[in-house]
Amino acid sequence: MLLQKRSDLSVWGLPGGNAEPGEDLTSVVEREVFEETGLTIKNAKPFGFGCNPEIETVEFPNGDQCQFFVMNFFTESFSGNLVMLDGESLALDWFDLSNLPEIPPNMKASILAYNSYRSTAEFQMI
């Protein structure tokens, strides 16, 4: 699994981001992954939706709080080389699912949901 060490919270986490005006979800996923990792992805497929306020509410270092609603995607089709392009990543690395670094609870829940999706093929509500 590809993780980024995030510059906003200084923790490992999943690449992701928010839509710009006029973007559809597929475009957001492709753009954000490219901006944060340098990889071009294709055939991104949704596997889960994160909406639990207990784990999707985040406080940023400046004190701002935000509750996220997150559509989770995966792909097995990508090209390019890992490159930090936008300043949002301190590091990028591939991790085995059985040996992940410490990550925020909401992102850990997304990874657990991905594992459930892989074994059940059922969309996951997180």
Side-chain angles (χ1 to χ4, degrees), residues 12-60:
W12 286 99
L14 299 166
N18 298 307
E20 293 180 1
E23 280 187 310
D24 62 61
L25 279 175
T26 302
S27 298
V28 175
V29 172
E30 292 170 354
R31 178 184 52 77
E32 285 288 347
V33 169
F34 180 76
E35 288 178 358
E36 295 182 4
T37 70
L39 298 178
T40 299
I41 65 168
K42 294 182 180 186
N43 301 320
K45 299 173 186 158
F47 68 85
F49 184 74
C51 58
N52 180 343
E54 292 181 22
I55 60 173
E56 292 296 349
T57 301
V58 175
E59 183 169 339
F60 291 92

Short mmCIF file of all heavy atoms in Angstrom, two decimals, residues 12-60:
data_model
loop_
_atom_site.label_atom_id
_atom_site.label_comp_id
_atom_site.label_asym_id
_atom_site.label_seq_id
_atom_site.Cartn_x
_atom_site.Cartn_y
_atom_site.Cartn_z
N TRP A 12 2.15 9.38 8.80
CA TRP A 12 1.90 8.60 7.59
C TRP A 12 0.40 8.51 7.37
O TRP A 12 -0.37 8.41 8.33
CB TRP A 12 2.49 7.20 7.72
CG TRP A 12 3.97 7.19 7.60
CD1 TRP A 12 4.88 7.16 8.62
CD2 TRP A 12 4.74 7.24 6.39
NE1 TRP A 12 6.15 7.19 8.11
CE2 TRP A 12 6.10 7.24 6.74
CE3 TRP A 12 4.39 7.28 5.04
CZ2 TRP A 12 7.12 7.27 5.81
CZ3 TRP A 12 5.41 7.32 4.09
CH2 TRP A 12 6.76 7.31 4.48
N GLY A 13 -0.01 8.55 6.13
CA GLY A 13 -1.42 8.44 5.80
C GLY A 13 -1.63 8.13 4.33
O GLY A 13 -0.67 7.95 3.57
N LEU A 14 -2.88 8.07 3.95
CA LEU A 14 -3.25 7.78 2.57
C LEU A 14 -3.23 9.05 1.73
O LEU A 14 -3.66 10.10 2.20
CB LEU A 14 -4.66 7.18 2.53
CG LEU A 14 -4.83 5.87 3.28
CD1 LEU A 14 -6.31 5.54 3.46
CD2 LEU A 14 -4.12 4.75 2.53
N PRO A 15 -2.77 8.97 0.50
CA PRO A 15 -2.88 10.14 -0.38
C PRO A 15 -4.35 10.47 -0.60
O PRO A 15 -5.19 9.59 -0.66
CB PRO A 15 -2.23 9.67 -1.69
CG PRO A 15 -1.40 8.49 -1.32
CD PRO A 15 -2.08 7.85 -0.15
N GLY A 16 -4.65 11.74 -0.71
CA GLY A 16 -6.02 12.14 -0.95
C GLY A 16 -6.17 13.64 -0.94
O GLY A 16 -5.20 14.36 -0.73
N GLY A 17 -7.37 14.09 -1.16
CA GLY A 17 -7.60 15.53 -1.16
C GLY A 17 -9.03 15.87 -1.48
O GLY A 17 -9.91 15.01 -1.45
N ASN A 18 -9.22 17.12 -1.82
CA ASN A 18 -10.56 17.65 -2.04
C ASN A 18 -10.75 18.07 -3.49
O ASN A 18 -9.80 18.39 -4.20
CB ASN A 18 -10.79 18.86 -1.13
CG ASN A 18 -10.72 18.48 0.33
OD1 ASN A 18 -11.40 17.57 0.77
ND2 ASN A 18 -9.87 19.16 1.08
N ALA A 19 -12.02 18.10 -3.88
CA ALA A 19 -12.37 18.49 -5.25
C ALA A 19 -12.17 19.98 -5.46
O ALA A 19 -12.35 20.79 -4.56
CB ALA A 19 -13.83 18.12 -5.54
N GLU A 20 -11.80 20.30 -6.68
CA GLU A 20 -11.81 21.68 -7.14
C GLU A 20 -13.12 21.90 -7.87
O GLU A 20 -13.75 20.94 -8.34
CB GLU A 20 -10.60 21.93 -8.05
CG GLU A 20 -9.29 21.82 -7.30
CD GLU A 20 -8.07 22.06 -8.17
OE1 GLU A 20 -8.20 22.32 -9.37
OE2 GLU A 20 -6.96 21.96 -7.61
N PRO A 21 -13.58 23.16 -7.95
CA PRO A 21 -14.87 23.41 -8.63
C PRO A 21 -14.92 22.76 -10.02
O PRO A 21 -13.97 22.86 -10.80
CB PRO A 21 -14.92 24.93 -8.74
CG PRO A 21 -14.08 25.40 -7.58
CD PRO A 21 -12.97 24.39 -7.46
N GLY A 22 -16.02 22.04 -10.27
CA GLY A 22 -16.24 21.43 -11.56
C GLY A 22 -15.67 20.03 -11.74
O GLY A 22 -15.88 19.41 -12.78
N GLU A 23 -14.96 19.50 -10.73
CA GLU A 23 -14.36 18.16 -10.86
C GLU A 23 -15.33 17.06 -10.45
O GLU A 23 -16.09 17.22 -9.49
CB GLU A 23 -13.12 18.02 -9.96
CG GLU A 23 -11.88 18.62 -10.51
CD GLU A 23 -10.68 18.29 -9.64
OE1 GLU A 23 -10.73 18.50 -8.42
OE2 GLU A 23 -9.67 17.85 -10.21
N ASP A 24 -15.27 15.94 -11.16
CA ASP A 24 -15.99 14.75 -10.72
C ASP A 24 -15.04 13.92 -9.86
O ASP A 24 -13.84 14.19 -9.81
CB ASP A 24 -16.51 13.96 -11.93
CG ASP A 24 -15.39 13.47 -12.82
OD1 ASP A 24 -14.53 12.70 -12.35
OD2 ASP A 24 -15.37 13.86 -14.00
N LEU A 25 -15.58 12.93 -9.16
CA LEU A 25 -14.76 12.15 -8.21
C LEU A 25 -13.57 11.46 -8.86
O LEU A 25 -12.48 11.43 -8.30
CB LEU A 25 -15.62 11.12 -7.48
CG LEU A 25 -16.42 11.67 -6.30
CD1 LEU A 25 -17.31 10.57 -5.73
CD2 LEU A 25 -15.53 12.23 -5.23
N THR A 26 -13.77 10.90 -10.04
CA THR A 26 -12.66 10.21 -10.71
C THR A 26 -11.53 11.18 -11.02
O THR A 26 -10.36 10.87 -10.80
CB THR A 26 -13.14 9.52 -12.00
OG1 THR A 26 -14.20 8.61 -11.66
CG2 THR A 26 -12.02 8.75 -12.66
N SER A 27 -11.88 12.37 -11.48
CA SER A 27 -10.86 13.38 -11.78
C SER A 27 -10.12 13.80 -10.51
O SER A 27 -8.90 14.00 -10.53
CB SER A 27 -11.48 14.61 -12.43
OG SER A 27 -12.07 14.27 -13.66
N VAL A 28 -10.85 13.94 -9.40
CA VAL A 28 -10.22 14.31 -8.13
C VAL A 28 -9.20 13.26 -7.73
O VAL A 28 -8.07 13.58 -7.36
CB VAL A 28 -11.27 14.48 -7.01
CG1 VAL A 28 -10.59 14.74 -5.67
CG2 VAL A 28 -12.24 15.59 -7.33
N VAL A 29 -9.60 11.99 -7.78
CA VAL A 29 -8.71 10.90 -7.38
C VAL A 29 -7.45 10.91 -8.25
O VAL A 29 -6.32 10.86 -7.73
CB VAL A 29 -9.42 9.53 -7.48
CG1 VAL A 29 -8.44 8.39 -7.27
CG2 VAL A 29 -10.55 9.46 -6.48
N GLU A 30 -7.63 10.99 -9.54
CA GLU A 30 -6.47 10.97 -10.45
C GLU A 30 -5.56 12.17 -10.21
O GLU A 30 -4.34 12.03 -10.14
CB GLU A 30 -6.95 10.94 -11.90
CG GLU A 30 -7.63 9.63 -12.25
CD GLU A 30 -8.33 9.65 -13.60
OE1 GLU A 30 -8.40 10.73 -14.25
OE2 GLU A 30 -8.82 8.58 -14.01
N ARG A 31 -6.13 13.38 -10.08
CA ARG A 31 -5.33 14.58 -9.87
C ARG A 31 -4.60 14.55 -8.53
O ARG A 31 -3.41 14.81 -8.45
CB ARG A 31 -6.21 15.84 -9.95
CG ARG A 31 -5.41 17.13 -9.70
CD ARG A 31 -6.30 18.35 -9.69
NE ARG A 31 -7.44 18.26 -8.80
CZ ARG A 31 -7.39 18.40 -7.47
NH1 ARG A 31 -6.23 18.61 -6.86
NH2 ARG A 31 -8.49 18.31 -6.76
N GLU A 32 -5.33 14.23 -7.47
CA GLU A 32 -4.71 14.24 -6.14
C GLU A 32 -3.59 13.21 -6.03
O GLU A 32 -2.54 13.49 -5.47
CB GLU A 32 -5.76 14.01 -5.05
CG GLU A 32 -6.63 15.20 -4.78
CD GLU A 32 -5.91 16.34 -4.05
OE1 GLU A 32 -4.80 16.16 -3.51
OE2 GLU A 32 -6.49 17.44 -4.02
N VAL A 33 -3.81 12.01 -6.56
CA VAL A 33 -2.76 11.00 -6.51
C VAL A 33 -1.53 11.48 -7.29
O VAL A 33 -0.40 11.36 -6.82
CB VAL A 33 -3.25 9.63 -7.01
CG1 VAL A 33 -2.09 8.66 -7.20
CG2 VAL A 33 -4.28 9.05 -6.05
N PHE A 34 -1.76 12.06 -8.45
CA PHE A 34 -0.62 12.56 -9.23
C PHE A 34 0.10 13.68 -8.48
O PHE A 34 1.32 13.67 -8.36
CB PHE A 34 -1.05 13.05 -10.62
CG PHE A 34 0.11 13.55 -11.41
CD1 PHE A 34 1.00 12.66 -12.00
CD2 PHE A 34 0.35 14.91 -11.54
CE1 PHE A 34 2.10 13.11 -12.70
CE2 PHE A 34 1.45 15.38 -12.25
CZ PHE A 34 2.33 14.48 -12.82
N GLU A 35 -0.66 14.66 -7.96
CA GLU A 35 -0.04 15.79 -7.27
C GLU A 35 0.76 15.36 -6.05
O GLU A 35 1.81 15.92 -5.76
CB GLU A 35 -1.11 16.80 -6.82
CG GLU A 35 -1.72 17.60 -7.93
CD GLU A 35 -2.81 18.54 -7.46
OE1 GLU A 35 -3.15 18.57 -6.25
OE2 GLU A 35 -3.35 19.25 -8.32
N GLU A 36 0.28 14.35 -5.33
CA GLU A 36 0.93 13.96 -4.09
C GLU A 36 1.97 12.86 -4.26
O GLU A 36 2.82 12.69 -3.40
CB GLU A 36 -0.12 13.55 -3.06
CG GLU A 36 -0.99 14.73 -2.68
CD GLU A 36 -2.03 14.42 -1.63
OE1 GLU A 36 -2.06 13.28 -1.11
OE2 GLU A 36 -2.82 15.33 -1.33
N THR A 37 1.91 12.13 -5.38
CA THR A 37 2.82 10.99 -5.52
C THR A 37 3.59 10.95 -6.83
O THR A 37 4.55 10.20 -6.96
CB THR A 37 2.06 9.65 -5.41
OG1 THR A 37 1.25 9.47 -6.58
CG2 THR A 37 1.21 9.60 -4.14
N GLY A 38 3.15 11.67 -7.85
CA GLY A 38 3.76 11.59 -9.17
C GLY A 38 3.27 10.42 -10.01
O GLY A 38 3.69 10.26 -11.15
N LEU A 39 2.38 9.61 -9.46
CA LEU A 39 1.86 8.44 -10.19
C LEU A 39 0.60 8.80 -10.96
O LEU A 39 -0.26 9.53 -10.47
CB LEU A 39 1.56 7.29 -9.23
CG LEU A 39 2.73 6.73 -8.45
CD1 LEU A 39 2.26 5.62 -7.51
CD2 LEU A 39 3.83 6.23 -9.37
N THR A 40 0.50 8.26 -12.16
CA THR A 40 -0.71 8.39 -12.96
C THR A 40 -1.50 7.10 -12.77
O THR A 40 -0.98 6.01 -12.99
CB THR A 40 -0.35 8.57 -14.45
OG1 THR A 40 0.42 9.77 -14.58
CG2 THR A 40 -1.59 8.66 -15.31
N ILE A 41 -2.74 7.24 -12.30
CA ILE A 41 -3.56 6.05 -12.04
C ILE A 41 -4.69 5.97 -13.06
O ILE A 41 -5.11 6.97 -13.64
CB ILE A 41 -4.12 6.04 -10.61
CG1 ILE A 41 -5.10 7.19 -10.38
CG2 ILE A 41 -3.01 6.05 -9.59
CD1 ILE A 41 -5.89 7.06 -9.11
N LYS A 42 -5.16 4.75 -13.24
CA LYS A 42 -6.31 4.47 -14.10
C LYS A 42 -7.21 3.48 -13.40
O LYS A 42 -6.77 2.73 -12.53
CB LYS A 42 -5.85 3.90 -15.44
CG LYS A 42 -5.04 4.87 -16.26
CD LYS A 42 -4.65 4.29 -17.58
CE LYS A 42 -3.85 5.34 -18.31
NZ LYS A 42 -3.51 4.99 -19.64
N ASN A 43 -8.46 3.46 -13.80
CA ASN A 43 -9.43 2.49 -13.30
C ASN A 43 -9.58 2.52 -11.78
O ASN A 43 -9.68 1.47 -11.14
CB ASN A 43 -9.08 1.08 -13.77
CG ASN A 43 -9.02 0.97 -15.26
OD1 ASN A 43 -9.84 1.56 -15.97
ND2 ASN A 43 -8.04 0.25 -15.78
N ALA A 44 -9.62 3.72 -11.19
CA ALA A 44 -9.86 3.82 -9.75
C ALA A 44 -11.27 3.36 -9.45
O ALA A 44 -12.22 3.74 -10.13
CB ALA A 44 -9.65 5.26 -9.29
N LYS A 45 -11.39 2.49 -8.45
CA LYS A 45 -12.69 1.91 -8.09
C LYS A 45 -13.01 2.23 -6.64
O LYS A 45 -12.17 2.03 -5.76
CB LYS A 45 -12.66 0.40 -8.29
CG LYS A 45 -12.39 0.00 -9.71
CD LYS A 45 -12.20 -1.49 -9.84
CE LYS A 45 -11.79 -1.81 -11.28
NZ LYS A 45 -11.12 -3.07 -11.40
N PRO A 46 -14.24 2.67 -6.35
CA PRO A 46 -14.61 2.94 -4.96
C PRO A 46 -14.83 1.64 -4.19
O PRO A 46 -15.33 0.67 -4.73
CB PRO A 46 -15.91 3.73 -5.08
CG PRO A 46 -16.49 3.31 -6.39
CD PRO A 46 -15.33 2.98 -7.28
N PHE A 47 -14.41 1.65 -2.92
CA PHE A 47 -14.63 0.47 -2.08
C PHE A 47 -15.29 0.82 -0.76
O PHE A 47 -15.78 -0.06 -0.06
CB PHE A 47 -13.32 -0.29 -1.82
CG PHE A 47 -12.34 0.46 -0.95
CD1 PHE A 47 -12.41 0.39 0.42
CD2 PHE A 47 -11.34 1.22 -1.52
CE1 PHE A 47 -11.50 1.08 1.22
CE2 PHE A 47 -10.43 1.90 -0.75
CZ PHE A 47 -10.52 1.84 0.63
N GLY A 48 -15.32 2.10 -0.39
CA GLY A 48 -15.90 2.44 0.89
C GLY A 48 -16.14 3.92 1.05
O GLY A 48 -15.61 4.74 0.31
N PHE A 49 -16.98 4.24 2.05
CA PHE A 49 -17.31 5.63 2.33
C PHE A 49 -17.13 5.86 3.83
O PHE A 49 -17.76 5.19 4.65
CB PHE A 49 -18.77 5.92 1.93
CG PHE A 49 -19.16 7.36 2.11
CD1 PHE A 49 -18.70 8.33 1.24
CD2 PHE A 49 -19.98 7.72 3.16
CE1 PHE A 49 -19.06 9.66 1.40
CE2 PHE A 49 -20.36 9.05 3.33
CZ PHE A 49 -19.89 10.01 2.45
N GLY A 50 -16.25 6.81 4.17
CA GLY A 50 -16.00 7.14 5.57
C GLY A 50 -16.85 8.31 6.03
O GLY A 50 -16.81 9.38 5.41
N CYS A 51 -17.62 8.11 7.10
CA CYS A 51 -18.49 9.19 7.58
C CYS A 51 -18.66 9.17 9.10
O CYS A 51 -19.45 9.94 9.64
CB CYS A 51 -19.85 9.12 6.90
SG CYS A 51 -20.71 7.55 7.14
N ASN A 52 -17.90 8.36 9.80
CA ASN A 52 -18.02 8.25 11.26
C ASN A 52 -17.39 9.49 11.92
O ASN A 52 -16.18 9.67 11.86
CB ASN A 52 -17.31 6.98 11.72
CG ASN A 52 -17.38 6.77 13.21
OD1 ASN A 52 -17.65 7.68 13.98
ND2 ASN A 52 -17.09 5.55 13.64
N PRO A 53 -18.20 10.35 12.57
CA PRO A 53 -17.65 11.57 13.15
C PRO A 53 -16.60 11.31 14.23
O PRO A 53 -15.74 12.15 14.47
CB PRO A 53 -18.86 12.31 13.71
CG PRO A 53 -19.93 11.30 13.81
CD PRO A 53 -19.64 10.23 12.80
N GLU A 54 -16.65 10.14 14.86
CA GLU A 54 -15.66 9.83 15.90
C GLU A 54 -14.25 9.71 15.34
O GLU A 54 -13.28 9.98 16.05
CB GLU A 54 -16.04 8.56 16.64
CG GLU A 54 -17.30 8.73 17.48
CD GLU A 54 -17.67 7.47 18.24
OE1 GLU A 54 -16.78 6.61 18.46
OE2 GLU A 54 -18.84 7.35 18.60
N ILE A 55 -14.12 9.30 14.08
CA ILE A 55 -12.79 9.16 13.50
C ILE A 55 -12.54 10.09 12.32
O ILE A 55 -11.41 10.25 11.89
CB ILE A 55 -12.47 7.70 13.09
CG1 ILE A 55 -13.46 7.20 12.04
CG2 ILE A 55 -12.42 6.80 14.31
CD1 ILE A 55 -13.13 5.84 11.47
N GLU A 56 -13.60 10.70 11.79
CA GLU A 56 -13.43 11.60 10.64
C GLU A 56 -13.35 13.07 11.04
O GLU A 56 -13.26 13.94 10.19
CB GLU A 56 -14.55 11.39 9.62
CG GLU A 56 -14.52 10.06 8.92
CD GLU A 56 -13.29 9.83 8.05
OE1 GLU A 56 -12.52 10.78 7.81
OE2 GLU A 56 -13.10 8.68 7.63
N THR A 57 -13.38 13.37 12.34
CA THR A 57 -13.20 14.74 12.81
C THR A 57 -11.72 14.91 13.14
O THR A 57 -11.16 14.16 13.94
CB THR A 57 -14.08 15.03 14.04
OG1 THR A 57 -15.45 14.81 13.67
CG2 THR A 57 -13.90 16.46 14.51
N VAL A 58 -11.11 15.90 12.50
CA VAL A 58 -9.66 16.11 12.62
C VAL A 58 -9.41 17.53 13.09
O VAL A 58 -10.08 18.48 12.65
CB VAL A 58 -8.97 15.89 11.25
CG1 VAL A 58 -7.51 16.23 11.31
CG2 VAL A 58 -9.18 14.46 10.78
N GLU A 59 -8.44 17.68 13.99
CA GLU A 59 -7.99 19.01 14.39
C GLU A 59 -6.61 19.23 13.81
O GLU A 59 -5.69 18.44 14.04
CB GLU A 59 -7.96 19.17 15.91
CG GLU A 59 -7.56 20.58 16.32
CD GLU A 59 -7.76 20.88 17.79
OE1 GLU A 59 -8.55 20.17 18.45
OE2 GLU A 59 -7.12 21.82 18.28
N PHE A 60 -6.46 20.31 13.08
CA PHE A 60 -5.19 20.66 12.46
C PHE A 60 -4.33 21.45 13.44
O PHE A 60 -4.85 21.98 14.43
CB PHE A 60 -5.44 21.45 11.17
CG PHE A 60 -6.06 20.61 10.08
CD1 PHE A 60 -7.43 20.54 9.93
CD2 PHE A 60 -5.26 19.87 9.23
CE1 PHE A 60 -8.00 19.75 8.95
CE2 PHE A 60 -5.82 19.07 8.25
CZ PHE A 60 -7.19 19.02 8.10
#
